[in-house]
Amino acid sequence: MNQSISRLAITASLFSLALPGVASDADDSASAQDEPIERVVVTATRTRQPWLNSAGSIDRVEVDQQLPGMRIDMAEILAGIPGVQTDTRYNFAQDTRIVLRGFGARAAFGVRGVVMRLDGIPLSMPDGQAQTSSIFVDEPAHVEVLRGPIASVYGNAAGGVINLQSTQPRQSYLGASLAVGENGRQRTALNGAYVQGPFFLSGHYAGFRTDGDRSHGKVERDQYALRSGYQFANGLELIVRADDNNAPLLQDPGSLTAEQWREDPQQTFAGATVFNTRKQIRHRQQSATLRQTLTNVDWQLAAWNGQREVEQFLPFPGSDLTSSGAVIDLTRDFYGVHGQVNWRPAAFNDQWQLSLGTDIERQQDTRLGFVNEFGTAGELRRDETGDVEKTDLYALSQYALTDQLTWLLGGRVSDMKFAVEDRFIIDGIRPDDSGQIDYSEHAWTTGFNYQLTDTWSVFASAGAGFETPTLTELAYRNDGSGLNPELGPAQVQQFEFGHKWLTEKGMAQLSLFEVRTDDEIVVDQSVDGRTTYRNAAETKRQGVELSGTYQWTPILDLRGAATIIKARYKGGQLDDQRIPGVATSNLYAQLNLSPWQDQRLRASLTAQYRSRIASNDGNTEFAPSFVLWHSAVEARQQIAQWQFRQWLRIDNLLDRNYVGSVIVNQGSGRSFEPAPGRQLSAGFAVERRF
């Protein structure tokens, strides 16, 4: 069997996400690539289990499968994964929004309702929010996306799981790259590794600059990552990492009304220049992971801490004494500990594995607000500290009832404490908005997989989870400032049924799903950076997903994904209205032509369709549907220990006008975030191995 077929087969190695907190083992994953299709196994659970036995919808994409490019955004890595809708704002002051089966659609910024992890370390905060801008996209070698009921056992706000995995360097090397594109885009990168026996040390740097796709959109951003590891003789492994994202200038051109977008989609909101809207971010995170694999048991212990500093200027004064200001000054400190033990009793001959674990996480937000005096910070309007404490315990059992039938059962209990201490108090004008809210919630999941043949299996699963408000969502009330005690957690039930195929020509997965949510947390109002939330009566999401890869010939292969989802409110004034921010249809196809099997030349063409998206609960305004075409060509050469790579890419080949993202329930009407027209970019890289 040729290498192309093996590469297709290993994309099935995804069951790692069924066990929370366990990182992939690079060496085991690599060895699995060389096995015949009928023996392709997953190893991230530390037990060798065929992908066809997994009881959930899981997709994996190698980063090298995506179109070559600057890769300055998570959307580049997540392209073509079913169930995943990436809303690129084309505004680096606002993070890309990720919507997974409807989860996360209401996020005013960043990621909400979806758990994100890098090498087993959480990127999501204890209250459930995450920012894609903190991710160094050069590091991951592949991304794994878990959807459906199994994700429930990841705890709070786990509508799905996006797990980024890097690989350990096997050889010392030094590398550099340069990429340039439209509107002054330039990205430089340096990377290298030193490998000596059981020890490795690797480092990465990337600097990005652009004048912006619209005026008042300049960006300066530098990212650093350092990772080290040591493999002890007794199977004990230690990995230490440190990440630093420094963005001293992120200008914000603002969103547009539908009328402004139709008139001139590349214009900048007038208030952006009047109030000099911008953001600066410094995000640092460190972690250490210790793990060991023994005959019938393996364990992992991880600890992390970090700090995020943000200063943001909004497009209004915020001068009222009852206002929270229009200059946000946020310092976030966070840390956590994760531990897990996987036990395989010898008496069960590897038919049963029991996993027990705990997550203890803390988050503290010190938030100041000032008057925006036309681009400079004025008088104080907000001074408070918010704390989140999360303590979780979970258990997961995986049992092979027969050679064909596998049963999964898991549960999790969570204690969440939110507290706000308000220090900006004015008698008769600004009351003391301090307060505390505690949540005690639980989640469970169960699923079955039945392998009908060596190449075909069916699975079904069910589960229930929850989603508490974040500190940001609790921060505002319509009738005043401060903590919103009336906002409670959403309760989620999920059901799923699917098929999986794996043959010598490729693989495919078909999933049918339903998500029912009581007390869904939705945007109530959003006006110039001040967003309030409320609990809706009920929502229901039903849909179908299809993904697959197919090797037509030794030089031609196809990768595709399709998602159709009906996302509606149920009951109350919004009965049967579409949930805003969620597209009914997302389609993706990528065709690759590689004349030589060693991949020294590859030409790719992708097509993407997205149906129209409602921007408000009333469904009175929609961002129109679009079809986009992108193309790229990449060449590689190897001369002795030197490797060279060049690429050329064109995005939006037909120069279409379209809306990259919508801001849900934007009170000012500026709900459209425009995307640029045709974009040309090119780059080269060189690497020397030792």
Side-chain angles (χ1 to χ4, degrees):
M1 182 182 62
N2 61 44
Q3 293 180 354
S4 298
I5 300 301
S6 295
R7 190 167 58 253
L8 289 170
I10 194 55
T11 59
S13 303
L14 303 176
F15 194 67
S16 59
L17 292 174
L19 291 179
V22 181
S24 293
D25 186 296
D27 294 336
D28 289 344
S29 297
S31 65
Q33 295 186 21
D34 299 326
E35 300 196 23
I37 283 181
E38 64 271 16
R39 294 184 58 220
V40 169
V41 295
V42 293
T43 57
T45 61
R46 304 303 178 99
T47 58
R48 300 176 65 81
Q49 175 169 356
W51 169 70
L52 288 175
N53 279 128
S54 58
S57 296
I58 314 173
D59 280 83
R60 165 171 161 166
V61 173
E62 304 292 329
V63 172
D64 284 345
Q65 289 180 270
Q66 305 289 11
L67 293 186
M70 290 192 190
R71 288 178 183 153
I72 53 179
D73 190 277
M74 267 298 294
E76 297 284 326
I77 294 179
L78 294 173
I81 298 179
V84 179
Q85 174 187 314
T86 52
D87 294 343
T88 305
R89 301 173 186 266
Y90 297 97
N91 175 357
F92 292 93
Q94 305 293 337
D95 286 286
T96 293
R97 179 169 53 227
I98 298 174
V99 182
L100 199 158
R101 288 188 177 177
F103 291 100
R106 72 174 184 275
F109 58 89
V111 180
R112 183 71 181 93
V114 180
V115 171
M116 300 190 68
R117 306 170 70 88
L118 173 60
D119 291 341
I121 302 298
L123 298 172
S124 301
M125 294 295 104
D127 66 349
Q129 59 183 309
Q131 286 79 33
T132 58
S133 61
S134 64
I135 300 171
F136 194 168
V137 295
D138 283 9
E139 273 205 288
H142 64 264
V143 59
E144 304 167 342
V145 178
L146 170 66
R147 308 174 301 282
I150 294 178
S152 300
V153 294
Y154 274 81
N156 182 34
V161 181
I162 296 176
N163 197 34
L164 300 160
Q165 293 285 346
S166 61
T167 57
Q168 296 182 12
R170 299 174 181 271
Q171 185 178 357
S172 300
Y173 73 93
L174 288 174
S177 65
L178 172 66
V180 295
E182 304 275 359
N183 302 317
R185 289 194 180 194
Q186 179 176 308
R187 189 176 192 268
T188 55
L190 300 172
N191 55 83
Y194 173 74
V195 180
Q196 184 63 45
F199 171 79
F200 78 89
L201 175 66
S202 63
H204 302 268
Y205 161 77
F208 175 64
R209 305 290 186 271
T210 181
D211 294 330
D213 298 320
R214 293 184 286 156
S215 63
H216 198 77
K218 288 185 177 181
V219 173
E220 296 178 11
R221 186 176 71 187
D222 296 287
Q223 293 177 288
Y224 307 85
L226 187 67
R227 192 157 58 103
S228 179
Y230 191 87
Q231 184 77 49
F232 297 90
N234 58 357
L236 188 65
E237 183 180 14
L238 173 66
I239 296 177
V240 179
R241 62 179 303 133
D243 296 271
D244 191 328
N245 173 29
N246 183 27
L249 178 61
L250 301 169
Q251 288 186 324
D252 187 351
S255 53
L256 304 175
T257 66
E259 292 75 19
Q260 289 171 334
W261 178 78
R262 295 185 183 97
E263 175 188 318
D264 178 10
Q266 299 309 311
Q267 66 179 291
T268 294
F269 168 56
T273 54
V274 172
F275 293 97
N276 193 13
T277 53
R278 65 194 187 276
K279 180 188 288 188
Q280 63 180 29
I281 300 173
R282 185 74 182 273
H283 185 104
R284 287 159 288 186
Q285 185 165 335
Q286 304 82 39
S287 66
T289 302
L290 192 65
R291 59 196 182 195
Q292 185 177 33
T293 300
L294 302 172
T295 303
N296 293 316
V297 65
D298 57 77
W299 59 270
Q300 174 174 286
L301 181 65
W304 62 92
N305 73 88
Q307 185 177 75
R308 183 177 180 86
E309 300 170 349
V310 179
E311 184 182 48
Q312 183 177 11
F313 287 74
L314 301 174
F316 56 93
S319 55
D320 279 353
L321 288 176
T322 57
S323 168
S324 296
V327 179
I328 299 170
D329 188 338
L330 169 69
T331 299
R332 172 175 296 152
D333 295 285
F334 58 93
Y335 62 91
V337 177
H338 163 76
Q340 178 171 307
V341 176
N342 303 320
W343 178 47
R344 297 172 295 278
F348 287 85
N349 297 319
D350 288 334
Q351 290 182 295
W352 181 44
Q353 175 174 284
L354 176 64
S355 300
L356 302 173
T358 183
D359 290 306
I360 301 172
E361 300 179 42
R362 301 293 184 265
Q363 170 188 345
Q364 183 178 84
D365 288 4
T366 300
R367 187 183 296 265
L368 303 175
F370 301 91
V371 175
N372 186 347
E373 296 181 347
F374 305 103
T376 61
E379 295 181 352
L380 184 69
R381 287 295 181 269
R382 187 176 188 180
D383 183 0
E384 66 184 33
T385 298
D387 289 281
V388 182
E389 299 181 6
K390 183 179 82 167
T391 303
D392 287 11
L393 296 172
Y394 64 85
L396 191 65
S397 170
Q398 181 181 302
Y399 189 75
L401 297 171
T402 69
D403 290 341
Q404 292 79 33
L405 183 62
T406 303
W407 176 34
L408 182 74
L409 177 66
R412 190 179 190 112
V413 293
S414 300
D415 286 324
M416 304 276 297
K417 296 181 179 180
F418 292 78
V420 172
E421 180 186 355
D422 186 8
R423 291 180 293 273
F424 190 74
I425 304 168
I426 302 175
D427 290 339
I429 300 176
R430 287 287 296 260
D432 185 351
D433 289 311
S434 302
Q436 179 174 321
I437 300 177
D438 296 345
Y439 302 110
S440 293
E441 303 293 334
H442 69 275
W444 62 268
T445 186
T446 188
F448 293 88
N449 179 289
Y450 188 80
Q451 190 165 337
L452 299 169
T453 69
D454 290 342
T455 61
W456 181 25
S457 69
V458 296
F459 65 91
S461 60
F466 63 94
E467 186 174 3
T468 68
T470 66
L471 266 178
T472 301
E473 291 167 347
L474 287 167
Y476 297 124
R477 296 179 295 181
N478 291 336
D479 57 354
S481 62
L483 199 65
N484 183 1
E486 297 180 358
L487 189 61
Q491 303 296 331
V492 182
Q493 293 181 314
Q494 296 196 62
F495 308 90
E496 183 177 57
F497 173 78
H499 300 260
K500 296 179 181 181
W501 297 270
L502 183 62
T503 71
E504 291 189 355
K505 282 290 187 179
M507 57 171 291
Q509 183 174 241
L510 174 68
S511 303
L512 306 175
F513 65 88
E514 180 173 293
V515 181
R516 302 173 185 172
T517 304
D518 292 325
D519 297 325
E520 177 92 62
I521 301 172
V522 299
V523 174
D524 192 9
Q525 296 181 14
S526 180
V527 181
D528 292 326
R530 183 186 176 95
T531 304
T532 59
Y533 298 82
R534 62 183 175 84
N535 292 108
E538 183 182 348
T539 64
K540 179 183 286 188
R541 285 162 261 163
Q542 297 172 308
V544 58
E545 298 167 350
L546 176 64
S547 63
T549 57
Y550 187 74
Q551 192 80 36
W552 273 347
T553 71
I555 66 172
L556 193 66
D557 67 88
L558 175 68
R559 180 168 70 95
T563 304
I564 299 175
I565 181 172
K566 181 181 179 182
R568 305 277 179 168
Y569 289 109
K570 294 297 177 183
Q573 296 179 345
L574 298 176
D575 186 42
D576 208 37
Q577 295 286 82
R578 294 189 184 189
I579 298 176
V582 182
T584 300
S585 302
N586 276 284
L587 309 176
Y588 178 91
Q590 179 178 338
L591 186 66
N592 301 305
L593 175 64
S594 304
W596 295 277
Q597 291 187 13
D598 60 5
Q599 299 290 308
R600 66 182 120 155
L601 181 67
R602 183 183 70 157
S604 302
L605 179 68
T606 69
Q608 177 189 2
Y609 167 77
R610 180 178 297 172
S611 62
R612 65 178 189 156
I613 298 178
S615 63
N616 55 36
D617 286 333
N619 293 180
T620 59
E621 186 175 79
F622 287 82
S625 62
F626 60 78
V627 177
L628 300 177
W629 295 85
H630 315 294
S631 66
V633 61
E634 181 180 41
R636 297 173 182 262
Q637 306 88 36
Q638 181 163 341
I639 303 174
Q641 297 299 313
W642 292 86
Q643 295 181 354
F644 303 91
R645 183 172 67 93
Q646 310 87 36
W647 56 267
L648 179 68
R649 173 169 169 169
I650 304 176
D651 289 289
N652 193 0
L653 270 168
L654 303 182
D655 198 24
R656 299 297 191 193
N657 287 329
Y658 69 101
V659 177
S661 176
V662 299
I663 302 176
V664 173
N665 290 340
Q666 231 292 351
S668 67
R670 295 187 295 104
S671 58
F672 284 13
E673 297 182 287
R678 185 185 296 114
Q679 299 279 301
L680 174 66
S681 58
F684 73 90
V686 59
E687 185 177 289
R688 172 67 162 87
R689 294 193 172 268
F690 302 94

